[in-house]
Amino acid sequence: MLKKNRLLRLTIVAIIAPICTLAGFSLMSKAPTNLGVQDGKLASCPNSPNCVSTQEKDPSQKMEPIPFEGDAANAIAKIKEALTKLPRTKIVEEKEHYLRAECASLIFRFVDDVEFYVDTEAHLIHFRSAARVGRSDMGVNRDRMQKIRGEVTGSLTKD
């Protein structure tokens, strides 16, 4: 009986310890200081597979920008509309040509930083989506940005 109780306790610790560690990483993660637009460019992706951007050269991180017509205000409004459809997403910064949101994962609340830059000269919406912690995101950032692209592209062609 004593061995069974000890084995049960060890099993519980083996399960709970990693969960608490992951939750701790989530709670301690802060927004990177290099976010925003500098000279028409969003921050580069880190050298890990948990980031996608329209301004990257690496094909594993590269996505195409979203073309648009009209002005930046209309493009930003369409992006905001698409973001409101994503669960656990909040807009944390908005400027005339720039928008940043934070998207949290369901269980551990890991935060991904999602940025948009509206280039009015080229009529393109550039974006970047990156996990704050960890190495792999299981394709979540790419999937999210494909979903947003579909929403924004669809709404821009309806007007």
Side-chain angles (χ1 to χ4, degrees):
M1 185 70 163
L2 198 55
K3 283 185 177 182
K4 285 185 181 180
N5 283 342
R6 186 172 182 196
L7 183 61
L8 179 62
R9 281 190 223 135
L10 285 173
T11 304
I12 290 171
V13 168
I15 292 171
I16 291 180
I19 291 172
C20 290
T21 301
L22 290 172
F25 282 140
S26 173
L27 292 173
M28 292 186 297
S29 72
K30 301 221 182 312
T33 58
N34 65 336
L35 299 181
V37 180
Q38 297 290 325
D39 298 321
K41 299 282 184 192
L42 296 167
S44 295
C45 283
N47 194 13
S48 58
N50 61 4
C51 178
V52 294
S53 173
T54 58
Q55 296 177 324
E56 284 299 316
K57 290 182 175 62
D58 181 344
S60 68
Q61 295 177 319
K62 172 83 172 153
M63 291 185 75
E64 291 304 314
I66 304 167
F68 76 96
E69 294 181 16
D71 61 10
N74 185 47
I76 292 285
K78 299 303 180 184
I79 296 165
K80 286 171 65 174
E81 187 179 323
L83 288 171
T84 62
K85 296 178 182 178
L86 297 177
R88 299 171 307 282
T89 298
K90 64 180 178 179
I91 296 170
V92 294
E93 186 177 354
E94 181 179 352
K95 296 179 180 175
E96 185 179 5
H97 297 268
Y98 176 78
L99 188 69
R100 182 169 72 87
E102 295 176 346
C103 302
S105 65
L106 178 61
I107 296 174
F108 293 112
R109 299 295 194 246
F110 290 123
V111 176
D112 294 341
D113 293 292
V114 181
E115 301 179 276
F116 299 89
Y117 166 59
V118 179
D119 181 344
T120 53
E121 288 183 26
H123 291 279
L124 295 173
I125 300 170
H126 288 283
F127 57 80
R128 176 185 185 271
S129 184
R132 285 187 186 171
V133 296
R135 178 145 177 84
S136 176
D137 67 349
M138 311 279 262
V140 168
N141 283 294
R142 183 173 294 277
D143 291 345
R144 176 187 304 117
M145 298 318 293
Q146 287 173 338
K147 180 182 260 185
I148 291 173
R149 173 195 304 284
E151 289 285 333
V152 171
T153 302
S155 65
L156 286 173
T157 56
K158 288 178 191 170
D159 292 345

